[in-house]
Amino acid sequence: MSRFLNDRYQSLDAYVPGEQPRVKVLKLNTNESPYPAGPKTVEAVCNATRAEGLNRYCDPDAKALKEALANNYGVKSTNIFTSNGSDDILNFAFMAFADEGVMFPEISYGFYPVFAELHHLDFERVPLCDDWTIDPDDYIARNKMVVIANPNAPTGREMAQADIARICESNPNNLVLIDEAYVDFGAKSAIPLIGRYDNLLVVQTFSKSRSLAGARLGFALGSEAIIADLEKIKFSTNPYNVNTITAAAGVAAIAEQDYYDEKCRLIVEARDYTVDKMKNLGFDVVPSSTNFIFARHETIDGKRLYEILKARNIVIRHFNDEKIAQYNRITIGTLEEMETFIEELTRVVLEETR
Ligand SMILES: *Cc1c(COP(=O)(O)O)cnc(C)c1O
């Protein structure tokens, strides 16, 4: 730390992203898609650099991208905000809408408490139920901003749309942010509710189901007034938050949605395979609506399992938080990758339980 850093940032605990190893490993730790971006998406990226050039600034309104998203989701362009990854939108929302405080599940995306601390907000972390579900009643009529990842991470569990509607309805004077990073793997989106609740903001990303984690593209859907507020913050920080290349990738990805739907289907198949095999190996596996699974072994310590696998070039995600320290989060790769994972895991379990 330099001696110049403002006092208010000195105790900030920054978010720690999952490892990005440079050597070849079986990488099942940061919930990316194992599949490359679609052929038309890649072509659009190449064309964008040629046709539009990188010497000019990108469109600060990201019009083409917003139109494509608006058509895809059946809303107006003015109901859509786009940004450099969805983390950026979360940051803006915590910055803009939480003066009365903010609440979110105790076990959830690690960035929520970081943003709350960054913006010096009062925040409440609400414990989950014993089966790792979120109890919607905890969020009824609380008069502060509500943030819920649905499906939740790292647990993978889903909340019913009717419960999200109840939460919106009972907190009319506060923003309800539903983070749908994993919704395309089989959960039900809250997007149809945005016409009914002007306090609802639904945040999604191209990072997981659309194979574009490296391109950094997130978007949000909400009432025109909320979107206008986000635009105000954006134009006060970085008007060019979605670059030319990424915007082109986004438009093309929406146009080849079939490609990504098929990949999601393959991932769900590989997930079901993995869950089955892990249960047979003595794992307690939390039901997942996502592209990862959250599991603990009946006897093997969570951290130990993570370390043993890492030594064998398989990287999964372990969290030190003591409530979930016995668990690991395993990203679903291709079926082939998951077969390799299960082979190695079978050996580890045999050795550790002998
Ligand atoms: C991955 C993830 C995000 C962030 O995605 P980016 O768009 O890559 O910034 C947001 N929320 C949750 C719950 C995630 O798991």
Side-chain angles (χ1 to χ4, degrees):
M1 188 166 18
S2 78
R3 63 187 189 282
F4 313 112
L5 185 66
N6 293 332
D7 289 350
R8 63 180 179 280
Y9 296 130
Q10 287 185 6
S11 65
L12 186 65
D13 271 329
Y15 177 73
V16 184
E19 307 150 75
Q20 297 292 349
R22 286 294 154 223
V23 290
K24 184 118 186 62
V25 294
L26 180 49
K27 188 172 183 307
L28 306 175
N29 69 331
T30 51
N31 297 345
E32 297 133 323
S33 173
Y35 297 103
K40 298 208 174 100
T41 309
V42 174
E43 195 187 319
V45 165
C46 297
N47 288 343
T49 57
R50 282 190 218 108
E52 292 170 51
L54 297 180
N55 53 319
R56 302 294 181 194
Y57 280 107
C58 54
D59 174 11
D61 295 315
K63 278 192 210 72
L65 176 59
K66 282 184 187 168
E67 270 163 30
L69 284 165
N71 285 335
N72 194 55
Y73 291 102
V75 298
K76 290 194 282 184
S77 286
T78 44
N79 294 117
I80 293 185
F81 182 75
T82 56
S83 80
N84 186 311
S86 59
D87 287 337
D88 234 22
I89 307 176
L90 301 174
N91 181 34
F92 286 179
F94 275 78
M95 185 192 299
F97 302 117
D99 271 359
E100 279 109 40
V102 55
M103 64 192 297
F104 41 82
E106 179 180 36
I107 306 296
S108 193
Y109 189 33
F111 233 136
Y112 302 152
V114 175
F115 288 134
E117 278 180 16
L118 178 67
H119 300 299
H120 299 275
L121 304 169
D122 277 331
F123 66 99
E124 182 185 347
R125 307 176 73 168
V126 185
L128 296 179
C129 305
D130 290 340
D131 63 358
W132 302 109
T133 55
I134 295 168
D135 183 352
D137 288 341
D138 290 337
Y139 299 83
I140 297 297
R142 295 302 312 275
N143 300 318
K144 49 178 125 176
M145 179 166 141
V146 172
V147 177
I148 289 174
N150 191 44
N152 195 15
T155 59
R157 301 221 62 166
E158 181 183 357
M159 181 188 268
Q161 200 192 61
D163 290 323
I164 292 170
R166 273 204 301 139
I167 292 169
C168 292
E169 184 130 11
S170 71
N171 293 285
N173 297 317
N174 296 89
L175 192 90
V176 176
L177 188 159
I178 305 297
D179 180 350
E180 295 189 344
Y182 300 103
V183 77
D184 295 332
F185 299 100
K188 193 160 185 183
S189 173
I191 289 173
L193 299 178
I194 65 165
R196 246 160 76 199
Y197 301 106
D198 70 353
N199 58 334
L200 173 62
L201 184 68
V202 177
V203 178
Q204 291 200 9
T205 176
F206 282 68
S207 294
K208 315 284 169 41
S209 62
R210 289 187 178 112
S211 303
L212 287 172
R216 312 304 303 129
L217 183 56
F219 60 102
L221 298 93
S223 66
E224 286 191 5
I226 295 174
I227 299 304
D229 292 342
L230 291 171
E231 294 290 352
K232 176 147 83 176
I233 307 251
K234 177 188 103 169
F235 278 96
S236 308
T237 50
N238 180 7
Y240 304 109
N241 66 341
V242 177
N243 69 65
T244 304
I245 297 169
T246 295
V251 171
I254 292 162
E256 64 175 335
Q257 186 60 48
D258 289 355
Y259 170 90
Y260 296 102
D261 287 346
E262 169 65 6
K263 299 307 181 218
C264 288
R265 195 184 64 71
L266 292 174
I267 289 166
V268 168
E269 253 176 45
R271 179 186 76 203
D272 294 346
Y273 160 85
T274 310
V275 169
D276 220 46
K277 295 286 182 191
M278 285 183 74
K279 282 183 175 164
N280 290 340
L281 290 172
F283 282 88
D284 167 20
V285 183
V286 178
S288 168
S289 312
T290 63
N291 67 338
F292 58 82
I293 53 188
F294 193 55
R296 85 173 151 189
H297 191 262
E298 53 198 10
T299 55
I300 308 168
D301 176 68
K303 180 94 184 250
R304 182 169 167 79
L305 179 65
Y306 160 80
E307 279 165 354
I308 293 172
L309 286 172
K310 192 170 174 192
R312 297 174 182 219
N313 287 329
I314 296 177
V315 188
I316 59 177
R317 189 85 192 259
H318 181 264
F319 298 92
N320 282 325
D321 182 331
E322 117 196 11
K323 288 204 172 167
I324 52 171
Q326 287 314 313
Y327 284 78
N328 281 287
R329 190 193 70 190
I330 299 130
T331 303
I332 302 301
T334 61
L335 183 59
E336 226 180 2
E337 287 176 327
M338 298 326 285
E339 284 167 355
T340 306
F341 171 71
I342 290 295
E343 255 170 49
E344 200 61 39
L345 189 65
T346 304
R347 273 185 221 121
V348 170
V349 169
L350 278 176
E351 286 166 22
E352 290 295 306
T353 56
R354 219 179 1 225

